[in-house]
Amino acid sequence: MRRGIAASALVAALAATLAACGSSGSGTSSASGPVTITYWDTSNATNEMPNYQAVVQKFEAANPNIKVNFVNVPFDQAQDKLQTAMGSKGAPDVFRSDVGWTAAFAKAGFLTPLDGTPALSDPSAYQPSLIKQAQYQGKTYGVPLVTDTLGLLYNKALFTQAGITTPPTTWDELKADAATIKTKTGVDGFEMRAGDGYYAMPLFYGEGTDMVDAANKKITVNSPDAVKAITTYQSLFNSPGTVKADITTDSYAHMMDAFNGGKVAAIINGPWEITNIYKGSSFTDHTNLGIAPVPAGSTGKAGAPTGGHNICVYAGSDAAHQAAAEKFAAFMTSADSESFIAQKNSTLPTRPDAFTADVKSDPGIAGFQQILSVAQPRPALPEYSSLYTSLSTNLGKIATGQQGIQPGLDATAQDYAKLLPDFAK
């Protein structure tokens, strides 16, 4: 599904007015016929989308007076396309929103609050931290659909061949293991996603910091702790047994092809890739996939970002379409639907009652469920998702040696000052 976080102009929405508000939305209806709502799906078209389509078909069968116009929008384009559509016309009545987009869309006035509606009749059914992540200024603007985090994915057979019996728990241990694997197997030990700020977050969290301190309105991306984090990050591309930084357009595919084919022993990634990994020659035996928490930094604590998606309802649709969209949101996020999606896509449900025995029998899901304890929710800062753009650009330069660590993070901090003028440097 992911996950180069897309560079986005979403922050422009924060000052926008809801030009399309009061329109009839993108669906159609008549006094005698069914309501047709438009749903924008942002899942991977090859391995995830068909299963979301199956859930939509179940919804239509159970609700004959509601038809769904299913539109798949590539994830890396969806943020900007939603921004444009909701700011003018042609917006979907309901859509699948990355958790990092929800607060910004809510601040812009694009979303309808779902508290007390059929979409969210029982908030306690969902993990509390995920409900909090769907909120802005005390109101809930999304229903949690799937959750995820980053973990250390590793090839158990290659680790065993190298004589390594347990996964590394620190970045230093990871580098040592990578060197051992290269020496004893001839295979690269580790590959890190380069030039993508999202994948660098475990390094920040491991030093007890973040890109910004939202609570105290302070930019921290170039602080001493951040420099320490990115010093470790840079070393992951230059140590024996680790793969050199790849910032080409196809770098993500290169990393996944290498891992799935047994040409690299470990990567950092999330559950959205599990079904694709299972298709790889190294993981026809699914139990060969090892899943562990991301390594810890000098604080001794591991941390990874909490990701996932919410189902959100457009505020510009008329009452009939909003009501149908809310009913659809409830169906998509029901225990039965989330359990079905989890079994088909190997993604993590957002509600405990969807973790059925069949769901937990998938070793990938079971593995990621065990490491959710190190997942760290993002602050409810509308601009937070946009912070990755500058960070990713400068991390790419740092990883490839085109820029020094402090100058690169200082440049990022300067960009943040423009985005967050009321934050102290």
Side-chain angles (χ1 to χ4, degrees):
M1 154 177 94
R2 138 105 178 179
R3 205 154 210 137
I5 295 294
S8 171
L10 178 58
V11 69
L14 303 181
T17 56
L18 189 58
C21 202
S23 73
S24 61
S26 56
T28 60
S29 65
S30 67
S32 58
V35 173
T36 299
I37 58 174
T38 294
Y39 168 64
W40 280 15
D41 171 75
T42 61
S43 67
N44 186 290
T46 58
N47 68 321
E48 292 185 321
M49 181 187 72
N51 300 312
Y52 282 105
Q53 288 177 313
V55 177
V56 170
Q57 291 169 1
K58 292 180 182 181
F59 171 79
E60 289 180 322
N63 298 273
N65 290 325
I66 303 175
K67 300 300 180 184
V68 180
N69 176 27
F70 184 103
V71 180
N72 181 258
V73 181
F75 179 84
D76 60 356
Q77 301 174 23
Q79 192 176 5
D80 288 336
K81 285 182 178 293
L82 283 164
Q83 156 68 33
T84 300
M86 290 190 290
S88 54
K89 60 182 179 180
D93 300 291
V94 59
F95 60 94
R96 182 176 180 265
S97 171
D98 184 275
V99 295
W101 308 342
T102 305
F105 285 151
K107 183 177 181 180
F110 294 154
L111 307 182
T112 187
L114 299 176
D115 305 279
T117 71
L120 195 61
S121 59
D122 183 14
S124 67
Y126 303 89
Q127 296 179 37
S129 63
L130 302 181
I131 288 290
K132 185 175 182 179
Q133 224 171 227
Q135 292 178 334
Y136 176 68
Q137 293 187 341
K139 296 181 180 180
T140 311
Y141 289 92
V143 189
L145 174 65
V146 294
T147 188
D148 61 56
T149 191
L150 292 173
L152 177 70
L153 309 187
Y154 64 99
N155 185 317
K156 291 181 181 178
L158 286 174
F159 270 60
T160 298
Q161 187 179 343
I164 301 170
T165 57
T166 58
T169 60
T170 68
W171 297 108
D172 284 342
E173 288 179 5
L174 174 61
K175 289 186 286 185
D177 286 349
T180 299
I181 290 167
K182 183 68 172 180
T183 298
K184 294 191 175 182
T185 72
V187 170
D188 289 322
F190 177 70
E191 182 168 0
M192 183 70 176
R193 177 107 164 104
D196 190 323
Y198 187 81
Y199 286 81
M201 296 315 298
L203 284 302
F204 284 98
Y205 296 157
E207 300 304 329
T209 191
D210 199 336
M211 297 179 288
V212 297
D213 179 347
N216 295 305
K217 291 190 173 183
K218 185 176 181 180
I219 295 169
T220 55
V221 73
N222 59 339
S223 67
D225 287 334
V227 170
K228 185 184 294 185
I230 302 308
T231 299
T232 301
Y233 170 83
Q234 186 186 59
S235 73
L236 295 173
F237 304 102
N238 301 315
S239 298
T242 63
V243 178
K244 300 298 182 184
D246 180 358
I247 58 172
T248 63
T249 304
D250 297 326
S251 61
Y252 185 87
H254 295 161
M255 179 181 75
M256 293 313 305
D257 288 346
F259 183 65
N260 296 348
K263 296 179 181 178
V264 66
I267 60 173
I268 301 291
N269 218 335
W272 52 85
E273 278 293 345
I274 290 175
T275 54
N276 287 329
I277 290 170
Y278 286 164
K279 297 173 186 176
S281 58
S282 290
F283 301 99
T284 51
D285 175 1
H286 298 175
T287 63
N288 189 42
L289 175 62
I291 301 172
V294 295
S298 66
T299 63
K301 296 181 180 179
T306 302
H309 293 83
N310 301 318
I311 296 292
C312 296
V313 176
Y314 177 49
S317 298
D318 62 25
H321 287 83
Q322 281 197 20
E326 289 166 1
K327 196 169 187 178
F328 176 79
F331 189 92
M332 290 291 286
T333 59
S334 67
D336 286 345
S337 294
E338 289 201 9
S339 178
F340 174 82
I341 290 296
Q343 291 178 69
K344 295 294 185 179
N345 291 347
S346 292
T347 50
L348 300 175
T350 64
R351 44 190 301 159
D353 55 353
F355 279 95
T356 64
D358 287 339
V359 170
K360 290 189 288 187
S361 68
D362 183 319
I365 293 177
F368 268 100
Q369 186 184 19
Q370 293 300 311
I371 67 171
L372 280 175
S373 60
V374 304
Q376 184 167 317
R378 305 176 220 187
L381 179 68
E383 299 87 353
Y384 192 83
S385 184
S386 296
L387 298 178
Y388 291 119
T389 303
S390 176
L391 179 62
S392 296
T393 297
N394 287 298
L395 284 181
K397 295 176 182 177
I398 291 170
T400 55
Q402 301 175 54
Q403 192 173 42
I405 294 172
Q406 188 71 64
L409 295 181
D410 286 344
T412 302
Q414 291 175 7
D415 290 337
Y416 287 3
K418 299 172 186 175
L419 189 65
L420 302 165
D422 58 336
F423 274 47
K425 294 182 180 179

